[in-house]
């Protein structure tokens, strides 16, 4: 499907280290990393996304979280929350 | 403890339930309610619906754009914020800063034959691919790119015959009219998922017998049907109307070249038709339009008269590649041709106001949307020229080679209606986006104490002043 193509392109893009799809309960559905790391990322990012979303909505209930980006020294973690899923991409923006 | 948004969500649910119950009781409404309840309870496992990866399409799209933004970060910053400071020292000249380059493997062999910005989404543009070479005709493609994602097109459509021209409807920005090399025209609907056109002409429905060089949408006719015009080398200008899901054609005008009636067999008078290569409709005067031909003439025509032209301009020595009305001034238009020249005209005067010789066949010329005196032209030797008549009437402010390889010809150029960028298409299927440096975008300076007048009147007045210098004074 088209979404598969998009995910493949993202994975093949310059600097992308890993791609993961997590469902609403924090269970990884699709990943390009090994299981233990994925489960770790999934759990931690799920909690963070929930906290971020509740922060945004507490300030203004009509607002909602669209995207979350965490830039660290080594790389950048991007989280795109959806109604039921969480798409996580770890990229190394070439610097 | 309950957070504020949970309260809000609960209220929203209640509101929606009340609205639904106000509707008439239909079995559908009840099923809809049940589905909503399912979604409302976020804790229930959604295993009943399969772990469908397609649900993530929106998130994937945003993510792709973000990943691209990271990779092309410096370009995105340049696009938004970079203003070439060295322009102050450059004495009126400007430069074009290359930004993104758009390419797609399936279009590597094809030339860019048409580009157009989407009137509603200012970062979306459509590119038509085909081939200008008579001997090497193959398939064509229509791609829509957005500046937010330089690595992959948003929409891809392929066709059997090369695409020669396209136009996006102003009010329905998802409808793209396309003209093909084999003479057909088609309408693609971006909202539909298929890669085939929604409506297509055929030999029976009056397609052209030669490549269609330009199409343009018109205002909806009296029955509120969509319609567009097309011009082709077969000498006909045809109006296509979408009536009840079918394309119906009406010949608007035939480009009969004056003085070329020949004696055919049995004493018939054969009228040879001129080959139309480009046209443009006046922005304000609805029925007035210009047609450029392969013979170098430009005809001024009216939609109301189908057998006669209002006027003929002996414009160029070779085919006219593009004509375009000035977006502000009501009387001025520009034309460019393979005879190396770009000419600016006043449609009431038979001779051109300004002539520029660019040392190479000019592929396309475009007025800028922000100033009535700025225009850009591209030539086959790979250069882009930007002129500003209010600063320098005789020379280009910027002449720059914009394509990588020497043998690559530039085919089209378009200004973005909002941002200070232009896109240029070339023969190898690449589209390059360039930013205009500040010198090329000069607005009239504010004099101290005077209010700065903004708006089209200022632009018109600016151009008028220039034209008056060139025009012969009425007294003599």
């Amino acid at each position: 499907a088209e979404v598969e193509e998009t995910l493949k392109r993202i994975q093949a893009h310059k600097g992308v280290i890993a791609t993961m799809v997590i469902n609403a309960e924090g269970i990884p559905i699709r990943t390009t990393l090994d299981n233990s790391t994925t489960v770790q990322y999934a759990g931690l990012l799920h909690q963070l996304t929930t906290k971020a979303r509740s922060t945004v909505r507490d300030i203004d209930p009509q607002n909602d979280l669209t995207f979350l980006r965490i830039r660290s020294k080594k790389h950048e973690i991007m989280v795109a929350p959806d109604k039921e899923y969480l798409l996580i991409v770890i990229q190394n923006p070439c610097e | 403890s309950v957070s504020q948004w949970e309260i809000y969500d609960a209220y929203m649910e209640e509101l929606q339930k009340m609205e639904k119950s106000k509707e008439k009781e239909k079995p559908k409404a009840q099923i809809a309610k049940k589905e909503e309840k399912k979604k409302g309870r976020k804790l229930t496992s959604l295993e009943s619906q399969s772990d469908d990866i397609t649900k993530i399409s929106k998130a994937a799209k945003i993510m792709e754009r973000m990943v691209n933004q990271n990779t092309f970060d410096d370009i995105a910053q340049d696009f938004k914020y970079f203003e070439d400071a060295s322009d102050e020292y450059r004495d009126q000249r400007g430069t074009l800063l290359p930004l993104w380059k758009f390419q797609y493997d399936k279009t590597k062999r094809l030339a860019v034959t048409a580009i157009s910005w989407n009137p509603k989404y200012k970062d979306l543009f459509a590119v038509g691919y085909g081939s200008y070479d008579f001997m090497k005709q193959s398939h064509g493609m229509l791609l829509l790119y957005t500046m937010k994602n330089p690595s992959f097109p948003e929409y891809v459509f392929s066709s059997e015959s090369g695409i020669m021209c396209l136009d996006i409807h102003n009010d329905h920005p998802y409808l793209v009219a396309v003209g093909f090399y084999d003479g057909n025209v088609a309408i693609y609907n971006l909202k539909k998922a298929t890669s085939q056109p929604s409506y297509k002409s055929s030999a029976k429905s009056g397609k052209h017998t030669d490549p269609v060089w330009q199409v343009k949408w018109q205002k909806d006719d009296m029955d509120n049907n969509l319609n567009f015009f097309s011009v082709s080398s077969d000498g006909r200008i045809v109006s296509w109307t979408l009536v009840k899901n079918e394309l119906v054609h009406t010949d608007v005008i035939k480009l009969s070249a004056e003085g070329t009636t020949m004696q055919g067999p049995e004493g018939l008078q054969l009228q040879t038709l001129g080959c139309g290569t480009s046209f443009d409709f006046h922005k304000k005067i609805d029925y007035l339009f210009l047609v450029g031909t392969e013979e170098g003439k430009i005809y001024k025509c009216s939609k109301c008269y189908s057998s006669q032209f209002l006027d003929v301009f002996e414009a160029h020595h070779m085919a006219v590649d593009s004509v375009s009305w000035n977006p502000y001034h009501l009387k001025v238009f520009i034309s460019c041709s393979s005879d190396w020249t770009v000419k600016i005209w006043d449609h009431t005067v038979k001779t051109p106001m300004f002539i520029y010789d660019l040392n190479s066949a000019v592929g396309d010329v475009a007025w800028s949307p922000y100033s009535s005196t700025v225009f850009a032209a591209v030539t086959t030797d790979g250069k882009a020229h930007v002129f500003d008549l209010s600063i320098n009437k005789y020379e280009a402010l910027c002449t720059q080679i914009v394509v990588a390889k020497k043998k690559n010809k530039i085919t089209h150029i378009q200004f973005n209606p909002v941002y200070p960028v232009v896109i240029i298409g070339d023969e190898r299927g690449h589209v390059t986006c360039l930013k205009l440096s500040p010198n090329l975008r000069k607005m009239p300076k504010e004099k101290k104490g005077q209010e700065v007048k903004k708006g089209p009147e200022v632009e018109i007045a600016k151009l008028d002043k220039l034209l008056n210098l060139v025009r012969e004074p009425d007294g003599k």
Side-chain angles (χ1 to χ4, degrees):
Chain A
E2 255 193 57
V3 183
E4 291 278 348
E5 295 254 337
T6 312
L7 290 176
K8 270 192 214 154
R9 281 201 303 274
I10 295 178
Q11 182 57 36
H13 205 88
K14 200 161 60 150
V16 171
I17 302 170
T19 327
M20 286 177 255
V21 181
I22 319 279
N23 79 348
E25 294 180 348
I27 299 173
I29 297 172
R30 186 186 246 254
T31 173
T32 56
L33 284 181
D34 55 285
N35 214 2
S36 49
T37 328
T38 308
V39 171
Q40 192 185 22
Y41 266 105
L44 294 168
L45 286 170
H46 185 77
Q47 290 174 29
L48 184 62
T49 316
T50 319
K51 187 71 182 172
R53 183 183 263 141
S54 95
T55 313
V56 170
R57 300 205 71 200
D58 263 348
I59 297 172
D60 177 10
Q62 288 187 331
N63 205 350
D64 197 6
L65 180 70
T66 45
F67 205 83
L68 189 61
R69 267 177 153 180
I70 304 161
R71 199 164 248 205
S72 70
K73 277 194 217 166
K74 294 191 184 168
H75 41 240
E76 178 162 340
I77 305 172
M78 294 182 273
V79 180
D82 199 66
K83 269 185 289 189
E84 302 144 10
Y85 294 89
L86 219 61
L87 171 60
I88 302 172
V89 170
I90 306 173
Q91 187 188 22
N92 188 358
C94 351
E95 290 182 282
Chain B
S1 56
V2 179
S3 61
Q4 201 174 12
W5 56 269
E6 278 168 353
I7 302 173
Y8 176 81
D9 275 347
Y11 268 120
M12 289 307 286
E13 264 192 58
E14 277 302 309
L15 193 67
Q16 282 177 355
K17 278 184 200 164
M18 275 168 56
E19 281 176 9
K20 284 264 160 100
S21 63
K22 275 181 193 169
E23 286 175 17
K24 290 179 188 171
E25 300 246 354
K26 285 180 193 170
K28 278 189 185 176
Q30 288 193 349
I31 298 172
K33 270 192 196 173
K34 282 183 191 167
E35 281 199 82
E36 261 200 73
K37 279 187 188 170
K38 262 193 189 172
K39 282 188 186 171
R41 285 182 240 143
K42 289 179 189 173
L43 295 174
T44 50
S45 72
L46 295 157
E47 306 285 60
S48 51
Q49 298 166 18
S50 59
D51 282 340
D52 207 358
I53 208 113
T54 54
K55 296 266 170 69
I56 213 151
S57 64
K58 214 176 174 190
K61 204 169 195 154
I62 300 181
M63 183 63 80
E64 193 183 359
R65 289 188 179 185
M66 289 292 156
V67 168
N68 269 303
Q69 194 183 56
N70 274 342
T71 324
F72 294 108
D73 185 44
D74 43 353
I75 299 182
Q77 298 282 347
D78 275 348
F79 161 70
K80 198 75 192 192
Y81 303 115
F82 180 71
E83 299 292 357
D84 199 347
S86 64
D87 261 9
E88 284 177 51
Y89 306 109
R90 242 195 282 252
D91 186 37
Q92 310 290 3
R93 296 190 163 266
T95 52
L96 294 167
L97 177 73
L99 295 173
W100 301 286
K101 199 164 187 187
F102 301 89
Q103 49 198 18
Y104 185 50
D105 4 290
K106 291 194 189 150
T107 56
K108 266 194 189 154
R109 303 257 169 81
L110 299 171
V112 171
T113 53
I115 354 182
S116 176
W117 289 96
N118 188 305
K120 185 168 176 198
Y121 298 108
K122 309 291 179 190
D123 57 290
L124 188 65
F125 60 93
V127 189
Y129 292 86
S131 169
Y132 282 120
D133 196 342
F134 177 69
M135 302 302 286
K136 292 186 200 162
Q137 282 301 314
S138 66
H139 64 289
M141 296 203 80
L142 172 66
L143 300 181
L144 276 105
Y145 281 100
T146 164
M147 296 200 292
K148 295 178 188 166
N149 184 348
S151 49
F152 200 75
E154 299 289 302
Y155 299 94
V156 178
F157 299 96
S158 65
S159 62
E160 300 153 348
S161 164
I163 294 184
M164 298 313 289
C165 55
L166 61 89
D167 190 34
I168 306 183
H169 201 286
N170 269 330
D171 300 322
H172 307 279
Y174 50 88
L175 288 177
V176 182
V178 158
F180 293 101
Y181 195 86
D182 62 1
N184 275 313
V185 292
I187 300 182
Y188 284 89
N189 188 333
L190 298 179
K191 281 195 180 170
K192 300 210 175 139
T194 66
S195 82
Q196 289 308 306
S198 310
Y199 311 104
K200 193 169 173 176
S201 67
S202 61
K204 272 191 281 178
S205 66
K207 75 174 184 88
H208 289 278
T209 49
D210 260 346
V212 179
W213 292 100
Q214 210 158 347
V215 286
K216 266 230 157 82
W217 283 105
Q218 299 300 305
K219 294 194 190 131
D220 286 354
D221 66 7
M222 290 184 286
D223 300 319
N224 280 341
N225 288 322
L226 301 167
N227 72 331
F228 63 92
F229 276 53
S230 64
V231 65
S232 152
S233 313
D234 67 356
R236 286 158 57 219
I237 298 185
V238 176
S239 153
W240 300 86
T241 322
L242 199 64
V243 177
K244 289 186 192 169
N245 292 339
E246 263 187 30
L247 275 177
V248 175
H249 87 287
T250 331
D251 275 6
V252 172
I253 201 165
K254 284 209 173 107
L255 299 171
S256 46
E258 288 171 20
T260 55
T261 45
M262 299 186 307
Q263 287 285 10
E266 294 169 354
L268 278 177
Q269 289 277 356
L270 287 178
Q271 187 74 278
T272 47
L273 297 172
C275 307
T277 51
S278 64
F279 64 180
D280 193 24
F281 290 83
H282 198 277
K283 316 278 185 251
K284 298 272 160 74
I285 307 176
D286 204 28
Y287 56 82
L288 189 61
F289 65 97
L290 296 164
V291 184
T293 61
E294 252 179 49
E295 294 81 39
K297 297 202 179 97
I298 297 182
Y299 297 103
K300 188 165 70 169
C301 314
S302 158
K303 287 188 202 174
C304 316
Y305 298 107
S306 63
S307 54
Q308 271 202 343
F309 312 118
L310 294 177
D311 212 347
V312 179
F313 298 91
E314 301 288 339
H316 290 275
H317 302 289
M318 285 179 71
V320 177
D321 284 320
S322 179
V323 284
S324 177
W325 288 101
N326 187 303
Y328 293 99
H329 200 287
L330 299 173
K331 284 193 186 172
V332 174
F333 67 92
I334 196 172
S335 68
C336 75
S337 155
S338 316
D339 70 354
W340 295 11
T341 59
V342 171
K343 296 187 185 176
I344 300 185
W345 311 74
D346 176 326
H347 77 97
T348 50
V349 179
K350 286 279 196 172
T351 52
M353 300 276 115
F354 295 98
I355 304 180
Y356 299 98
D357 186 326
L358 296 177
N359 283 330
S360 175
V362 186
D364 195 11
V365 71
W367 287 107
S368 79
Y370 50 83
S371 165
S372 63
T373 51
V374 177
F375 65 92
V378 285
T379 55
T380 48
D381 58 358
K383 294 197 184 137
H385 309 253
V386 182
F387 290 79
D388 186 342
L389 296 174
S390 58
I391 296 181
N392 189 332
K393 283 203 293 287
Y394 305 106
E395 273 188 340
L397 287 189
C398 166
T399 305
Q400 194 172 318
I401 299 187
V402 286
V403 282
K405 298 195 177 164
K406 277 199 177 169
K407 281 191 185 168
N408 204 344
K409 298 184 204 168
I410 309 186
T411 50
H412 282 279
I413 182 171
Q414 283 283 331
F415 279 85
N416 182 311
V418 177
Y419 305 112
V421 289
V422 287
I423 29 171
I424 288 186
D426 65 22
E427 252 195 350
R428 296 271 167 95
H430 302 145
V431 177
T432 322
C433 179
L434 300 129
K435 185 166 183 185
L436 298 158
S437 71
N439 267 348
L440 302 172
R441 296 186 260 138
K442 281 218 169 122
M443 292 288 131
K445 284 197 179 145
E446 310 143 24
K447 292 188 186 162
K448 286 185 189 172
Q450 266 188 9
E451 248 184 53
V452 178
K453 287 180 277 174
K454 301 236 161 155
E457 300 84 37
V458 180
E459 301 292 336
I460 298 177
K462 210 171 42 162
L463 194 54
D464 251 343
K465 220 168 52 165
L466 283 172
L467 293 176
N468 282 332
L469 294 173
V470 189
R471 251 183 235 148
E472 289 168 6
D474 283 330
K476 287 186 186 170

